Structure formats: structure tokens, C-alpha cells
Amino acid sequence: MKHVIALDVGGTGMKAALIGADGTLLHQARRATGRARGAEAVVETILDFAAELHDLGVERFGAAPSAAGVAVPGIVDSAAGIAVYAANLGWRDVPLRDLLSARLGGIPVALGHDVRTGGLAEGRIGAGQGADRFLFVPLGTGIAGAIGIAGRIEAGAHGYAGEIGHIVVRPGGPECGCGQRGCLETLASASAVSRAWAAASGDPEADAADCAKAVEGGDAAAREVWLAAIGALADGLVTAITLLDPRTLIIGGGLAEAGETLFTPLRKAVEERVTFQRLPEIVPAALGDTAGCLGAGLLAWDLLATEVPA
């Protein structure tokens, strides 16, 4: 059976799968990234994990995987197959595509950015199906974005397209790791809500999920924290809508797990802010934490589809 390897590498864990030509998940596995052991050890863990999947494919389906796709965080040069920089993994200029291909017997390997790869999956087989233009925004530790155009994800001239988390929505606001102040992700990410609610509630262990539950329970202080984050998020999203004019706006990540506690006030806040712009449909992501892995599989199949026969 023809199949590909899909790998989604995160800061703490890795998700992997063998995926058939029709998109069927033939095998799934997870493993700790082990970043505490250092950058080189993480690379070796990825290579070993991929090699195990390769051998499993041979054993179970009687043939080696046809290709592999891998999604990684940070700055990615997909064309060159290089993981340029990933702060949470300690990577600089890791030639991951070539390393994986060599370990996997020379099969073709596609390398992608984690959020753009997740966006590819949401666009093709998730919440964005049928939308010729969409924006995928996961609200997690930070905030990023993937711009979907006619079945593909726009990377930009230098691979930085979609970095909506670094739109300044509150000039002079909280300092961001990028060097600016008042970036969207310092105010509306899951980690930002967690920080704000921990301070407001007096519980240092409180997080964004606790804040959402308190909002649902009618807590006034929680509602103030929640609506401040939603206001900042709506400002950033309207900027993106003005620039990109998406048909569908897909919201994912940890904050989206709050369901209508997030989406009802968010839709209202965005609608209040648009003037001449056309309001996109605002929907929750459909694939959850499997989006990156499924997208990596799509990258692998796309690579095979574009290969020129010898």
C-alpha cells in the first residue's frame, strides 16, 4: 500500500503518522521532543522516530514510504529544506530535509512551517474546505497565522507571511519577545490570558482555561480579563481582514477550546469594528492538535505529485 510519513515537531512533543494516498491514517504515534537534551539530540530523536516509521511501513505494508513530510516551528526555508531558526529547540540552520532523506533511504522529504502546515490541513480537509481564501489563526502560547489562497498556503517572499501575532495593537503595551511593544500575542494569546487571569485572581497557577470557566460562571473580574483579550484580538483580526479579505477566518489553538465563550463575543467584536470590509465567516478549527501532522502528510503527497518522472 502506497503511504507517506508525516511528522509534526513541537517544543515538547512530536506527533507522527503513516498516511495513505486517500488521506487515511494508517498508524499514529507520539513521542517527547526531549529539548532539554540539546539541539543535536532533538534532531537525532526526529531521525530515529522517522526511521522507526519507515521500518514499520515496510513491515506492515510491504513497501517503503514513498515520501515524508515534516512540520517544524520557527523560521523555515521550505525551498532549501532548512530549519533556519527555532528558539524553543535551539536550532540554527539545520538541513533537516537532507538529514531525513539520508536516514530514510533517499526518499523525497518536504519541510514546512508548523502553523502554515496546520493551515494547509485545515484549508483542505478541515474547517476551510470550500473557501478559496482563508486565514487560519491558532491562539496558543503565541499567535501566528496561515494565509490560504486557492488550495495553497502563502509563505511570503522571505517565509514570514502570516505573523499576525506581531501586529502592534496596543502601542507602548507589554514588551514582546520580538522586540516590539503591544504585539497581539502579548495580549490575546492563551499564555497572555493565563498571565492576566493569574494576576487578577491572585492564583499563580490559574490559566486561560480557568479564566474561561470563571467567565461562564459569571465572574466579573474574569469577564474583564476575557473581553480585554478579545478586544485586542478583534483589532488584530480586523487589520488582517482589511489586508487579506479572507472568505473564512479559522480560529484554533488552546483558547478556541472555550467554544462559544470565545466565539460569540469575538464575532460581535469583529463585526463592531468593520466598516467597509466584508465580514468573513468566523469558525473554530476542526482538526485540533492533529492539524500539523495531517498537513505534513499533505506536503509529502504534494511533493510526489509535483515530481518529474525520470
Side-chain angles (χ1 to χ4, degrees), residues 191-300:
S191 55
V193 173
S194 294
R195 286 192 301 270
W197 180 233
S201 66
D203 178 2
E205 301 300 317
D207 63 12
D210 296 323
C211 185
K213 289 175 186 173
V215 170
E216 291 160 9
D219 187 294
R223 180 174 172 78
E224 184 177 347
V225 167
W226 195 251
L227 291 181
I230 286 175
L233 178 57
D235 287 341
L237 292 176
V238 170
T239 297
I241 290 166
T242 305
L243 288 170
L244 302 172
D245 187 25
R247 196 173 304 281
T248 304
L249 187 52
I250 306 167
I251 307 295
L255 280 191
E257 293 174 9
E260 287 306 312
T261 301
L262 173 71
F263 283 94
T264 296
L266 178 60
R267 291 185 183 110
K268 182 173 184 287
V270 172
E271 186 172 5
E272 287 172 348
R273 285 161 171 77
V274 298
T275 53
F276 67 90
Q277 305 94 330
R278 292 292 296 272
L279 191 67
E281 185 181 12
I282 301 175
V283 300
L287 303 177
D289 70 353
T290 65
C293 194
L294 292 168
L298 292 172
L299 288 179

Side-chain angles (χ1 to χ4, degrees), residues 7-258:
L7 275 168
D8 178 20
V9 180
T12 56
M14 293 187 290
K15 306 172 193 72
L18 296 177
I19 301 178
D22 61 354
T24 302
L25 286 169
L26 305 172
H27 174 77
Q28 296 182 73
R30 298 189 181 221
R31 181 166 299 180
T33 303
R35 61 181 177 178
R37 296 181 295 116
E40 290 185 7
V42 170
V43 172
E44 197 57 39
T45 298
I46 294 168
L47 298 179
D48 288 344
F49 199 12
E52 289 176 21
L53 289 161
H54 177 280
D55 294 346
L56 179 69
V58 172
E59 177 186 337
R60 189 172 292 182
F61 306 115
S66 301
V70 57
V72 299
I75 299 170
V76 179
D77 184 339
S78 298
I82 295 172
V84 178
Y85 176 69
N88 59 354
L89 297 177
W91 284 356
R92 282 192 182 275
D93 298 322
V94 178
L96 198 55
R97 182 180 65 192
D98 290 347
L99 291 172
L100 273 167
S101 183
R103 180 65 69 90
L104 299 175
I107 66 172
V109 174
L111 181 67
H113 178 270
D114 56 353
V115 173
R116 288 197 291 270
T117 302
L120 179 67
E122 283 289 352
R124 287 201 198 164
I125 59 177
Q129 286 185 80
D132 56 344
R133 299 285 192 281
F134 69 86
L135 179 64
F136 169 55
V137 181
L139 310 172
T141 304
I143 296 178
I147 303 164
I149 302 172
R152 65 179 182 85
I153 301 296
E154 174 58 48
H158 307 96
Y160 296 174
E163 290 291 351
I164 186 176
H166 298 290
I167 290 175
V168 174
V169 293
R170 300 289 182 270
E175 187 174 355
C176 181
C178 77
Q180 300 184 112
R181 286 187 171 275
C183 286
L184 179 61
E185 73 173 39
T186 68
L187 296 151
S189 63
S191 55
V193 173
S194 294
R195 286 192 301 270
W197 180 233
S201 66
D203 178 2
E205 301 300 317
D207 63 12
D210 296 323
C211 185
K213 289 175 186 173
V215 170
E216 291 160 9
D219 187 294
R223 180 174 172 78
E224 184 177 347
V225 167
W226 195 251
L227 291 181
I230 286 175
L233 178 57
D235 287 341
L237 292 176
V238 170
T239 297
I241 290 166
T242 305
L243 288 170
L244 302 172
D245 187 25
R247 196 173 304 281
T248 304
L249 187 52
I250 306 167
I251 307 295
L255 280 191
E257 293 174 9

